[in-house]
Amino acid sequence: MDFISLFASLKFIKPEITISITLLLVVIFDIIFNENKKIVWLITLFGVFIALIFTSLNLLVEGYAFSPVDGSHNFGLLTLDSFGSFFKVIVLVSTLLILYFSNNSNEIINTGKRQGEYYALMLGMLLGMLFMTSASDLIMVYLSMELLSLSSYVLAGFLKLRDRDSEASLKYLLYGAVSSAFMLFGISLIYGLTGTTNLYLINLYLQAPQINYIPFALASIMIFAGIGFKISSAPFHFWTPDVYEGAPVAITAFLSVASKAAGFALFIRLLKTGFVLRSNEQGMWILSDIFDWHSLLIFVSILTMTLGNFSALWQNNLKRMLAYSSIAHAGYMLLGVAVLSSQGVVAVLIYFFFYMLMNIGAFFVVSIIADKYNSEDIHGYDSLGYKNPWLAAAFSIFLISLTGLPPTAGFIGKLYIFIALVDSNMIAVAVIALLNTVVSLYYYIRVMKHMYLVKPAENTETFSTSPSNLVYLILLSASVLLLGIYFSPVVNLAKQCVGILGL
Amino acid sequence: MNIYDLIFYLFAIITLVSAVFVVTSKNIVHSAFNLLFTFFGVAGIYALLGADFIAVVQLLVYVGGILILLLFGVMLTNKITNVDLRTGTIHIVPAAIGVGMLWGALSAIAYKTNWIKIDSPIPNSTAPFLGRMLITDYVLVFELLGILLLIALIGAASIARREKE
């Protein structure tokens, strides 16, 4: 038998191999250096950095990896393309940001010796996410999602001494188990209908006329239930506020950015390779008429953003508010997918890049305040503009950007989504999204009102942030501002990276 | 109805009835013992479908391993046999509607669909093919499963350890 194709596949998964080795090193060094967890942190940081270098060097590499050794067809378990690499870069960069975040968050530092487990589980999450971005076989899709889920269930309840952490972990586990059971059932239906789990072969099957509509539609909805849970879209979002509130802030930020990015990458690839018959000259996707993804996605995304934005209005806990805001942002990004064209995908890529910077930044401020006052209540932010002007300024920039006002990066992200919507004649949907943005302005500005317009009491003390935290915040907020004005590098990168390897 | 159908219904009834008892029983030891029959019934169905390897694994791992550990866990834990389990039901009407709809959709699909049929003789043993697949075409899945188990182990240890107040 010929194993050359398997060896050749190894060069496609260098970042994943790096992360796996790092994971093993973390486990070993965690045992050797029982007292000093700095080393484990450094190893993790180094490993993720190496993986990022591998990914950036091979950004435009395309190919199928792990195809059958008997050569019956060319399509494998993984598909490497620039689209997947872009999401890998997002996942890895956000991991680097979260690693610094974790190392400066009291919640994590206070766990002491358990930090080794924390970083090992985080690497497990990362590995699952990396495979999710390139999985093109339903078995790989399910397995990588389980790897991500298992690690994040534990991390969501990592601080076991608080009740709400255990609640978060259990809720996440129960909802996750149900949705992954649904997804698995959908996958088994598709296997029964087509006799294959490979997305490309499923697509070939759909091109033929002998199709059973109803079972396929049901299977599609079931698979969407599994993915919708990961990206917290509307009917499957109920876990999000509770889990985001209970989990350590660093993990909340990680879940809201990286885990969502991986879910979106998986979903777009599933849609493009599984259900799109061909693209026309304008880059619009011609879908197989077996299932009306277009209507489903528009309905779900409008529901998601409206529910997210309106629920956020009443939240006094900042973590909960940001959780609902992240649901709303998932709605905007789903709209980009619903356009069903390469232009829509470009918009989603741009949006994600900016969303990563501003959301992690916002959560970092929440973490600093939570470390100081031990609560995430909105009153902890009263007259922050007086107590710590730098922190308040940075937080304001992130909030304005999350709203989507110029001159911040969030505006550019939303702009590209709206342009894609208008270009494909979805004007009514664009108007609804715009009105949603207006609603979201209220709860973001409300925080700024507390920071600047609440008069400080007589004996209010100012406090300062550590220099390294300040540099981190300035770096993030400056890039949010700078990319709001000079955004062409990100846009060009995203335009280069829409190559989803199709049939 | 031939002999295969009869055996299938026998195993299916064993699985379903014991599964109902697992859920409704108020005694956790009874639940654990009923789970044994559920796993056994599923293993029988696997064997009937020609998946001999999976049937054996189901017996060895679930019945022989996991269930025994579960029973040990229950028996070695203080007071757990006296715990009053709550098995009440709430929201019966909406749940019945939801489950009924799902059941209707699934049974309609089961009967109306042209499932893909591949004509091939049932092999004497599936183990060698499975083994070969796992180290060639699906080697990545195999390795990734190893990492998944490692993560599960780390996670379980992390949850189980007693935390100092």
PDB file of all heavy atoms in Angstrom, chain A residues 3 68-69 114 117 131 147 151 160-161 189 192-194 212 215 218, chain B residues 109 113-116 136-137 140 144-145 147-148 151 158-159 161 163-164:
ATOM      1  N   PHE A   3       1.738   4.907   1.084  1.00  0.00           N
ATOM      2  CA  PHE A   3       1.463   5.878   2.158  1.00  0.00           C
ATOM      3  C   PHE A   3       1.978   7.264   1.839  1.00  0.00           C
ATOM      4  O   PHE A   3       1.986   8.133   2.691  1.00  0.00           O
ATOM      5  CB  PHE A   3       2.081   5.404   3.472  1.00  0.00           C
ATOM      6  CG  PHE A   3       1.428   4.175   3.999  1.00  0.00           C
ATOM      7  CD1 PHE A   3       2.129   2.985   4.099  1.00  0.00           C
ATOM      8  CD2 PHE A   3       0.104   4.194   4.361  1.00  0.00           C
ATOM      9  CE1 PHE A   3       1.519   1.848   4.573  1.00  0.00           C
ATOM     10  CE2 PHE A   3      -0.524   3.052   4.834  1.00  0.00           C
ATOM     11  CZ  PHE A   3       0.186   1.881   4.936  1.00  0.00           C
ATOM     12  N   PRO A  68      -8.063   9.436   0.661  1.00  0.00           N
ATOM     13  CA  PRO A  68      -7.936   7.977   0.788  1.00  0.00           C
ATOM     14  C   PRO A  68      -6.667   7.457   0.125  1.00  0.00           C
ATOM     15  O   PRO A  68      -6.305   7.911  -0.964  1.00  0.00           O
ATOM     16  CB  PRO A  68      -9.181   7.449   0.078  1.00  0.00           C
ATOM     17  CG  PRO A  68     -10.129   8.561   0.057  1.00  0.00           C
ATOM     18  CD  PRO A  68      -9.338   9.819   0.061  1.00  0.00           C
ATOM     19  N   VAL A  69      -6.001   6.494   0.761  1.00  0.00           N
ATOM     20  CA  VAL A  69      -4.732   5.999   0.217  1.00  0.00           C
ATOM     21  C   VAL A  69      -4.936   5.181  -1.045  1.00  0.00           C
ATOM     22  O   VAL A  69      -4.028   5.070  -1.858  1.00  0.00           O
ATOM     23  CB  VAL A  69      -3.956   5.148   1.244  1.00  0.00           C
ATOM     24  CG1 VAL A  69      -3.281   6.026   2.245  1.00  0.00           C
ATOM     25  CG2 VAL A  69      -4.857   4.150   1.907  1.00  0.00           C
ATOM     26  N   ARG A 114      -3.168  25.248  39.531  1.00  0.00           N
ATOM     27  CA  ARG A 114      -4.056  24.699  38.509  1.00  0.00           C
ATOM     28  C   ARG A 114      -3.847  25.372  37.152  1.00  0.00           C
ATOM     29  O   ARG A 114      -4.478  24.983  36.176  1.00  0.00           O
ATOM     30  CB  ARG A 114      -5.508  24.849  38.946  1.00  0.00           C
ATOM     31  CG  ARG A 114      -5.843  23.999  40.141  1.00  0.00           C
ATOM     32  CD  ARG A 114      -7.283  24.172  40.539  1.00  0.00           C
ATOM     33  NE  ARG A 114      -8.178  23.670  39.504  1.00  0.00           N
ATOM     34  CZ  ARG A 114      -9.358  24.222  39.227  1.00  0.00           C
ATOM     35  NH1 ARG A 114      -9.750  25.281  39.884  1.00  0.00           N
ATOM     36  NH2 ARG A 114     -10.123  23.722  38.302  1.00  0.00           N
ATOM     37  N   GLU A 117      -3.205  23.101  34.141  1.00  0.00           N
ATOM     38  CA  GLU A 117      -4.392  22.517  33.503  1.00  0.00           C
ATOM     39  C   GLU A 117      -5.084  23.550  32.627  1.00  0.00           C
ATOM     40  O   GLU A 117      -5.570  23.236  31.544  1.00  0.00           O
ATOM     41  CB  GLU A 117      -5.384  22.045  34.573  1.00  0.00           C
ATOM     42  CG  GLU A 117      -4.899  20.880  35.384  1.00  0.00           C
ATOM     43  CD  GLU A 117      -5.535  20.823  36.753  1.00  0.00           C
ATOM     44  OE1 GLU A 117      -6.644  21.356  36.898  1.00  0.00           O
ATOM     45  OE2 GLU A 117      -4.906  20.285  37.671  1.00  0.00           O
ATOM     46  N   PHE A 131      -8.652  22.703  13.634  1.00  0.00           N
ATOM     47  CA  PHE A 131      -9.163  21.666  12.746  1.00  0.00           C
ATOM     48  C   PHE A 131     -10.540  22.032  12.207  1.00  0.00           C
ATOM     49  O   PHE A 131     -10.903  21.658  11.102  1.00  0.00           O
ATOM     50  CB  PHE A 131      -9.201  20.316  13.454  1.00  0.00           C
ATOM     51  CG  PHE A 131      -7.891  19.589  13.401  1.00  0.00           C
ATOM     52  CD1 PHE A 131      -7.180  19.311  14.548  1.00  0.00           C
ATOM     53  CD2 PHE A 131      -7.366  19.202  12.191  1.00  0.00           C
ATOM     54  CE1 PHE A 131      -5.974  18.650  14.493  1.00  0.00           C
ATOM     55  CE2 PHE A 131      -6.151  18.545  12.120  1.00  0.00           C
ATOM     56  CZ  PHE A 131      -5.449  18.273  13.282  1.00  0.00           C
ATOM     57  N   LEU A 147     -13.847  18.322  20.407  1.00  0.00           N
ATOM     58  CA  LEU A 147     -12.603  18.673  21.093  1.00  0.00           C
ATOM     59  C   LEU A 147     -12.710  20.079  21.665  1.00  0.00           C
ATOM     60  O   LEU A 147     -12.362  20.331  22.832  1.00  0.00           O
ATOM     61  CB  LEU A 147     -11.444  18.578  20.102  1.00  0.00           C
ATOM     62  CG  LEU A 147     -10.035  18.755  20.649  1.00  0.00           C
ATOM     63  CD1 LEU A 147      -9.771  17.784  21.758  1.00  0.00           C
ATOM     64  CD2 LEU A 147      -9.013  18.575  19.554  1.00  0.00           C
ATOM     65  N   SER A 151     -13.165  20.875  26.002  1.00  0.00           N
ATOM     66  CA  SER A 151     -12.240  21.746  26.719  1.00  0.00           C
ATOM     67  C   SER A 151     -12.967  22.954  27.265  1.00  0.00           C
ATOM     68  O   SER A 151     -12.705  23.390  28.401  1.00  0.00           O
ATOM     69  CB  SER A 151     -11.108  22.221  25.815  1.00  0.00           C
ATOM     70  OG  SER A 151     -10.779  21.261  24.874  1.00  0.00           O
ATOM     71  N   LYS A 160     -13.891  26.834  40.577  1.00  0.00           N
ATOM     72  CA  LYS A 160     -14.946  25.983  41.099  1.00  0.00           C
ATOM     73  C   LYS A 160     -15.590  26.546  42.361  1.00  0.00           C
ATOM     74  O   LYS A 160     -16.649  26.105  42.768  1.00  0.00           O
ATOM     75  CB  LYS A 160     -14.376  24.602  41.404  1.00  0.00           C
ATOM     76  CG  LYS A 160     -14.028  23.855  40.155  1.00  0.00           C
ATOM     77  CD  LYS A 160     -13.572  22.468  40.450  1.00  0.00           C
ATOM     78  CE  LYS A 160     -12.213  22.496  41.096  1.00  0.00           C
ATOM     79  NZ  LYS A 160     -11.649  21.161  41.252  1.00  0.00           N
ATOM     80  N   LEU A 161     -14.940  27.532  42.993  1.00  0.00           N
ATOM     81  CA  LEU A 161     -15.434  27.964  44.298  1.00  0.00           C
ATOM     82  C   LEU A 161     -16.631  28.883  44.195  1.00  0.00           C
ATOM     83  O   LEU A 161     -17.308  29.123  45.181  1.00  0.00           O
ATOM     84  CB  LEU A 161     -14.315  28.654  45.079  1.00  0.00           C
ATOM     85  CG  LEU A 161     -13.233  27.671  45.516  1.00  0.00           C
ATOM     86  CD1 LEU A 161     -12.156  28.383  46.292  1.00  0.00           C
ATOM     87  CD2 LEU A 161     -13.834  26.570  46.347  1.00  0.00           C
ATOM     88  N   LEU A 189     -28.137  10.999   9.195  1.00  0.00           N
ATOM     89  CA  LEU A 189     -29.137  11.026   8.128  1.00  0.00           C
ATOM     90  C   LEU A 189     -28.474  11.274   6.778  1.00  0.00           C
ATOM     91  O   LEU A 189     -28.789  10.616   5.778  1.00  0.00           O
ATOM     92  CB  LEU A 189     -30.169  12.119   8.390  1.00  0.00           C
ATOM     93  CG  LEU A 189     -31.298  11.820   9.366  1.00  0.00           C
ATOM     94  CD1 LEU A 189     -32.219  13.015   9.482  1.00  0.00           C
ATOM     95  CD2 LEU A 189     -32.091  10.617   8.910  1.00  0.00           C
ATOM     96  N   GLY A 192     -26.767   8.260   5.598  1.00  0.00           N
ATOM     97  CA  GLY A 192     -27.720   7.277   5.088  1.00  0.00           C
ATOM     98  C   GLY A 192     -28.239   7.629   3.699  1.00  0.00           C
ATOM     99  O   GLY A 192     -28.547   6.761   2.899  1.00  0.00           O
ATOM    100  N   LEU A 193     -28.326   8.940   3.411  1.00  0.00           N
ATOM    101  CA  LEU A 193     -28.855   9.365   2.112  1.00  0.00           C
ATOM    102  C   LEU A 193     -27.812   9.293   1.016  1.00  0.00           C
ATOM    103  O   LEU A 193     -28.128   8.984  -0.131  1.00  0.00           O
ATOM    104  CB  LEU A 193     -29.367  10.802   2.206  1.00  0.00           C
ATOM    105  CG  LEU A 193     -30.659  11.008   2.975  1.00  0.00           C
ATOM    106  CD1 LEU A 193     -30.811  12.464   3.329  1.00  0.00           C
ATOM    107  CD2 LEU A 193     -31.825  10.544   2.139  1.00  0.00           C
ATOM    108  N   THR A 194     -26.575   9.633   1.365  1.00  0.00           N
ATOM    109  CA  THR A 194     -25.568   9.772   0.323  1.00  0.00           C
ATOM    110  C   THR A 194     -24.510   8.677   0.366  1.00  0.00           C
ATOM    111  O   THR A 194     -23.798   8.479  -0.604  1.00  0.00           O
ATOM    112  CB  THR A 194     -24.849  11.120   0.443  1.00  0.00           C
ATOM    113  OG1 THR A 194     -24.197  11.155   1.720  1.00  0.00           O
ATOM    114  CG2 THR A 194     -25.811  12.278   0.362  1.00  0.00           C
ATOM    115  N   ASN A 212     -33.913  13.152  -2.151  1.00  0.00           N
ATOM    116  CA  ASN A 212     -35.023  13.153  -1.207  1.00  0.00           C
ATOM    117  C   ASN A 212     -35.016  14.490  -0.483  1.00  0.00           C
ATOM    118  O   ASN A 212     -34.129  14.760   0.315  1.00  0.00           O
ATOM    119  CB  ASN A 212     -34.861  12.039  -0.189  1.00  0.00           C
ATOM    120  CG  ASN A 212     -34.764  10.703  -0.860  1.00  0.00           C
ATOM    121  OD1 ASN A 212     -35.735  10.201  -1.384  1.00  0.00           O
ATOM    122  ND2 ASN A 212     -33.565  10.149  -0.879  1.00  0.00           N
ATOM    123  N   PRO A 215     -35.928  14.599   3.987  1.00  0.00           N
ATOM    124  CA  PRO A 215     -34.879  14.172   4.919  1.00  0.00           C
ATOM    125  C   PRO A 215     -33.658  15.065   4.863  1.00  0.00           C
ATOM    126  O   PRO A 215     -33.043  15.354   5.897  1.00  0.00           O
ATOM    127  CB  PRO A 215     -34.539  12.753   4.455  1.00  0.00           C
ATOM    128  CG  PRO A 215     -35.455  12.400   3.408  1.00  0.00           C
ATOM    129  CD  PRO A 215     -36.294  13.550   3.048  1.00  0.00           C
ATOM    130  N   LEU A 218     -34.328  18.243   6.813  1.00  0.00           N
ATOM    131  CA  LEU A 218     -34.294  17.999   8.259  1.00  0.00           C
ATOM    132  C   LEU A 218     -32.858  17.827   8.745  1.00  0.00           C
ATOM    133  O   LEU A 218     -32.456  18.385   9.777  1.00  0.00           O
ATOM    134  CB  LEU A 218     -35.122  16.763   8.603  1.00  0.00           C
ATOM    135  CG  LEU A 218     -35.317  16.576  10.096  1.00  0.00           C
ATOM    136  CD1 LEU A 218     -36.388  17.508  10.607  1.00  0.00           C
ATOM    137  CD2 LEU A 218     -35.686  15.142  10.424  1.00  0.00           C
TER     138      LEU A 218
ATOM    139  N   ILE B 109     -39.652  10.107   7.716  1.00  0.00           N
ATOM    140  CA  ILE B 109     -38.391  10.013   6.978  1.00  0.00           C
ATOM    141  C   ILE B 109     -37.934   8.563   6.888  1.00  0.00           C
ATOM    142  O   ILE B 109     -37.504   8.084   5.839  1.00  0.00           O
ATOM    143  CB  ILE B 109     -37.338  10.897   7.662  1.00  0.00           C
ATOM    144  CG1 ILE B 109     -37.602  12.341   7.285  1.00  0.00           C
ATOM    145  CG2 ILE B 109     -35.945  10.499   7.257  1.00  0.00           C
ATOM    146  CD1 ILE B 109     -36.795  13.295   8.072  1.00  0.00           C
ATOM    147  N   THR B 113     -38.047   7.558   2.756  1.00  0.00           N
ATOM    148  CA  THR B 113     -36.800   7.923   2.097  1.00  0.00           C
ATOM    149  C   THR B 113     -36.235   6.753   1.288  1.00  0.00           C
ATOM    150  O   THR B 113     -36.338   5.602   1.711  1.00  0.00           O
ATOM    151  CB  THR B 113     -35.778   8.341   3.146  1.00  0.00           C
ATOM    152  OG1 THR B 113     -36.357   9.346   3.956  1.00  0.00           O
ATOM    153  CG2 THR B 113     -34.530   8.884   2.506  1.00  0.00           C
ATOM    154  N   ASN B 114     -35.658   7.091   0.135  1.00  0.00           N
ATOM    155  CA  ASN B 114     -34.888   6.077  -0.594  1.00  0.00           C
ATOM    156  C   ASN B 114     -33.472   6.070  -0.031  1.00  0.00           C
ATOM    157  O   ASN B 114     -32.610   6.808  -0.492  1.00  0.00           O
ATOM    158  CB  ASN B 114     -34.824   6.414  -2.079  1.00  0.00           C
ATOM    159  CG  ASN B 114     -36.194   6.541  -2.666  1.00  0.00           C
ATOM    160  OD1 ASN B 114     -37.063   5.727  -2.362  1.00  0.00           O
ATOM    161  ND2 ASN B 114     -36.390   7.562  -3.475  1.00  0.00           N
ATOM    162  N   TRP B 115     -33.255   5.255   0.974  1.00  0.00           N
ATOM    163  CA  TRP B 115     -31.906   5.213   1.529  1.00  0.00           C
ATOM    164  C   TRP B 115     -30.963   4.609   0.515  1.00  0.00           C
ATOM    165  O   TRP B 115     -31.364   3.767  -0.283  1.00  0.00           O
ATOM    166  CB  TRP B 115     -31.887   4.380   2.816  1.00  0.00           C
ATOM    167  CG  TRP B 115     -32.774   4.938   3.876  1.00  0.00           C
ATOM    168  CD1 TRP B 115     -33.971   4.449   4.269  1.00  0.00           C
ATOM    169  CD2 TRP B 115     -32.550   6.115   4.651  1.00  0.00           C
ATOM    170  NE1 TRP B 115     -34.512   5.234   5.247  1.00  0.00           N
ATOM    171  CE2 TRP B 115     -33.667   6.257   5.497  1.00  0.00           C
ATOM    172  CE3 TRP B 115     -31.528   7.050   4.717  1.00  0.00           C
ATOM    173  CZ2 TRP B 115     -33.781   7.311   6.395  1.00  0.00           C
ATOM    174  CZ3 TRP B 115     -31.649   8.095   5.616  1.00  0.00           C
ATOM    175  CH2 TRP B 115     -32.765   8.220   6.439  1.00  0.00           C
ATOM    176  N   ILE B 116     -29.725   5.045   0.561  1.00  0.00           N
ATOM    177  CA  ILE B 116     -28.763   4.522  -0.405  1.00  0.00           C
ATOM    178  C   ILE B 116     -28.426   3.085  -0.014  1.00  0.00           C
ATOM    179  O   ILE B 116     -28.262   2.776   1.156  1.00  0.00           O
ATOM    180  CB  ILE B 116     -27.515   5.418  -0.470  1.00  0.00           C
ATOM    181  CG1 ILE B 116     -26.774   5.148  -1.764  1.00  0.00           C
ATOM    182  CG2 ILE B 116     -26.612   5.219   0.716  1.00  0.00           C
ATOM    183  CD1 ILE B 116     -25.866   6.272  -2.170  1.00  0.00           C
ATOM    184  N   THR B 136      -4.913   4.214   7.999  1.00  0.00           N
ATOM    185  CA  THR B 136      -4.638   4.812   6.686  1.00  0.00           C
ATOM    186  C   THR B 136      -5.533   6.031   6.451  1.00  0.00           C
ATOM    187  O   THR B 136      -5.159   7.141   6.774  1.00  0.00           O
ATOM    188  CB  THR B 136      -4.825   3.791   5.559  1.00  0.00           C
ATOM    189  OG1 THR B 136      -6.143   3.248   5.646  1.00  0.00           O
ATOM    190  CG2 THR B 136      -3.813   2.686   5.644  1.00  0.00           C
ATOM    191  N   ASP B 137      -6.743   5.788   5.946  1.00  0.00           N
ATOM    192  CA  ASP B 137      -7.601   6.915   5.558  1.00  0.00           C
ATOM    193  C   ASP B 137      -7.976   7.785   6.752  1.00  0.00           C
ATOM    194  O   ASP B 137      -8.076   9.002   6.634  1.00  0.00           O
ATOM    195  CB  ASP B 137      -8.884   6.393   4.907  1.00  0.00           C
ATOM    196  CG  ASP B 137      -8.612   5.726   3.583  1.00  0.00           C
ATOM    197  OD1 ASP B 137      -7.432   5.774   3.178  1.00  0.00           O
ATOM    198  OD2 ASP B 137      -9.531   5.178   2.985  1.00  0.00           O
ATOM    199  N   LEU B 140      -5.831  10.483  10.878  1.00  0.00           N
ATOM    200  CA  LEU B 140      -5.927  11.780  11.556  1.00  0.00           C
ATOM    201  C   LEU B 140      -7.015  11.732  12.625  1.00  0.00           C
ATOM    202  O   LEU B 140      -6.828  12.215  13.749  1.00  0.00           O
ATOM    203  CB  LEU B 140      -6.229  12.873  10.536  1.00  0.00           C
ATOM    204  CG  LEU B 140      -6.262  14.280  11.093  1.00  0.00           C
ATOM    205  CD1 LEU B 140      -4.906  14.685  11.591  1.00  0.00           C
ATOM    206  CD2 LEU B 140      -6.745  15.263  10.054  1.00  0.00           C
ATOM    207  N   LEU B 144      -6.426  12.240  16.574  1.00  0.00           N
ATOM    208  CA  LEU B 144      -7.152  13.335  17.219  1.00  0.00           C
ATOM    209  C   LEU B 144      -7.990  12.803  18.380  1.00  0.00           C
ATOM    210  O   LEU B 144      -8.134  13.463  19.416  1.00  0.00           O
ATOM    211  CB  LEU B 144      -8.038  14.040  16.189  1.00  0.00           C
ATOM    212  CG  LEU B 144      -8.423  15.475  16.514  1.00  0.00           C
ATOM    213  CD1 LEU B 144      -7.197  16.315  16.726  1.00  0.00           C
ATOM    214  CD2 LEU B 144      -9.259  16.055  15.407  1.00  0.00           C
ATOM    215  N   LEU B 145      -8.519  11.583  18.208  1.00  0.00           N
ATOM    216  CA  LEU B 145      -9.271  10.964  19.299  1.00  0.00           C
ATOM    217  C   LEU B 145      -8.376  10.774  20.517  1.00  0.00           C
ATOM    218  O   LEU B 145      -8.823  10.939  21.660  1.00  0.00           O
ATOM    219  CB  LEU B 145      -9.816   9.605  18.860  1.00  0.00           C
ATOM    220  CG  LEU B 145     -11.191   9.627  18.217  1.00  0.00           C
ATOM    221  CD1 LEU B 145     -11.554   8.250  17.737  1.00  0.00           C
ATOM    222  CD2 LEU B 145     -12.213  10.120  19.211  1.00  0.00           C
ATOM    223  N   ILE B 147      -5.909  12.709  21.407  1.00  0.00           N
ATOM    224  CA  ILE B 147      -5.790  14.007  22.071  1.00  0.00           C
ATOM    225  C   ILE B 147      -7.078  14.352  22.799  1.00  0.00           C
ATOM    226  O   ILE B 147      -7.063  14.883  23.918  1.00  0.00           O
ATOM    227  CB  ILE B 147      -5.411  15.087  21.043  1.00  0.00           C
ATOM    228  CG1 ILE B 147      -3.990  14.826  20.566  1.00  0.00           C
ATOM    229  CG2 ILE B 147      -5.506  16.470  21.661  1.00  0.00           C
ATOM    230  CD1 ILE B 147      -3.493  15.781  19.556  1.00  0.00           C
ATOM    231  N   LEU B 148      -8.219  13.993  22.179  1.00  0.00           N
ATOM    232  CA  LEU B 148      -9.517  14.247  22.820  1.00  0.00           C
ATOM    233  C   LEU B 148      -9.590  13.529  24.163  1.00  0.00           C
ATOM    234  O   LEU B 148     -10.030  14.102  25.171  1.00  0.00           O
ATOM    235  CB  LEU B 148     -10.636  13.769  21.900  1.00  0.00           C
ATOM    236  CG  LEU B 148     -12.053  14.035  22.373  1.00  0.00           C
ATOM    237  CD1 LEU B 148     -12.416  15.462  22.055  1.00  0.00           C
ATOM    238  CD2 LEU B 148     -13.038  13.109  21.725  1.00  0.00           C
ATOM    239  N   ILE B 151      -7.443  15.312  26.711  1.00  0.00           N
ATOM    240  CA  ILE B 151      -8.123  16.515  27.198  1.00  0.00           C
ATOM    241  C   ILE B 151      -9.225  16.135  28.186  1.00  0.00           C
ATOM    242  O   ILE B 151      -9.397  16.767  29.237  1.00  0.00           O
ATOM    243  CB  ILE B 151      -8.706  17.303  26.002  1.00  0.00           C
ATOM    244  CG1 ILE B 151      -7.593  17.930  25.182  1.00  0.00           C
ATOM    245  CG2 ILE B 151      -9.669  18.371  26.467  1.00  0.00           C
ATOM    246  CD1 ILE B 151      -6.878  19.042  25.874  1.00  0.00           C
ATOM    247  N   SER B 158      -9.280  17.928  36.626  1.00  0.00           N
ATOM    248  CA  SER B 158      -9.410  19.310  37.070  1.00  0.00           C
ATOM    249  C   SER B 158     -10.728  19.531  37.804  1.00  0.00           C
ATOM    250  O   SER B 158     -10.772  20.245  38.809  1.00  0.00           O
ATOM    251  CB  SER B 158      -9.309  20.226  35.853  1.00  0.00           C
ATOM    252  OG  SER B 158      -9.613  21.536  36.196  1.00  0.00           O
ATOM    253  N   ILE B 159     -11.806  18.896  37.313  1.00  0.00           N
ATOM    254  CA  ILE B 159     -13.105  19.074  37.969  1.00  0.00           C
ATOM    255  C   ILE B 159     -13.152  18.316  39.295  1.00  0.00           C
ATOM    256  O   ILE B 159     -13.683  18.806  40.286  1.00  0.00           O
ATOM    257  CB  ILE B 159     -14.234  18.574  37.038  1.00  0.00           C
ATOM    258  CG1 ILE B 159     -14.402  19.532  35.865  1.00  0.00           C
ATOM    259  CG2 ILE B 159     -15.554  18.475  37.786  1.00  0.00           C
ATOM    260  CD1 ILE B 159     -15.418  19.071  34.869  1.00  0.00           C
ATOM    261  N   ARG B 161     -10.843  17.400  41.450  1.00  0.00           N
ATOM    262  CA  ARG B 161      -9.968  17.702  42.593  1.00  0.00           C
ATOM    263  C   ARG B 161     -10.651  18.651  43.574  1.00  0.00           C
ATOM    264  O   ARG B 161     -11.318  19.590  43.186  1.00  0.00           O
ATOM    265  CB  ARG B 161      -8.664  18.313  42.091  1.00  0.00           C
ATOM    266  CG  ARG B 161      -7.612  18.316  43.175  1.00  0.00           C
ATOM    267  CD  ARG B 161      -6.259  18.458  42.618  1.00  0.00           C
ATOM    268  NE  ARG B 161      -6.105  19.723  41.891  1.00  0.00           N
ATOM    269  CZ  ARG B 161      -5.117  19.973  41.084  1.00  0.00           C
ATOM    270  NH1 ARG B 161      -4.205  19.064  40.866  1.00  0.00           N
ATOM    271  NH2 ARG B 161      -5.027  21.129  40.469  1.00  0.00           N
ATOM    272  N   GLU B 163     -11.072  21.575  46.018  1.00  0.00           N
ATOM    273  CA  GLU B 163     -10.482  22.913  46.044  1.00  0.00           C
ATOM    274  C   GLU B 163     -10.377  23.402  47.481  1.00  0.00           C
ATOM    275  O   GLU B 163     -11.285  23.206  48.273  1.00  0.00           O
ATOM    276  CB  GLU B 163     -11.371  23.862  45.236  1.00  0.00           C
ATOM    277  CG  GLU B 163     -10.736  25.165  44.920  1.00  0.00           C
ATOM    278  CD  GLU B 163      -9.835  25.066  43.713  1.00  0.00           C
ATOM    279  OE1 GLU B 163      -9.599  23.934  43.220  1.00  0.00           O
ATOM    280  OE2 GLU B 163      -9.360  26.086  43.283  1.00  0.00           O
ATOM    281  N   LYS B 164      -9.251  24.033  47.793  1.00  0.00           N
ATOM    282  CA  LYS B 164      -9.127  24.620  49.141  1.00  0.00           C
ATOM    283  C   LYS B 164      -9.917  25.921  49.211  1.00  0.00           C
ATOM    284  O   LYS B 164      -9.840  26.752  48.325  1.00  0.00           O
ATOM    285  CB  LYS B 164      -7.662  24.902  49.444  1.00  0.00           C
ATOM    286  CG  LYS B 164      -6.877  23.653  49.776  1.00  0.00           C
ATOM    287  CD  LYS B 164      -5.547  24.022  50.398  1.00  0.00           C
ATOM    288  CE  LYS B 164      -4.464  23.028  50.017  1.00  0.00           C
ATOM    289  NZ  LYS B 164      -3.864  23.256  48.701  1.00  0.00           N
TER     290      LYS B 164
END
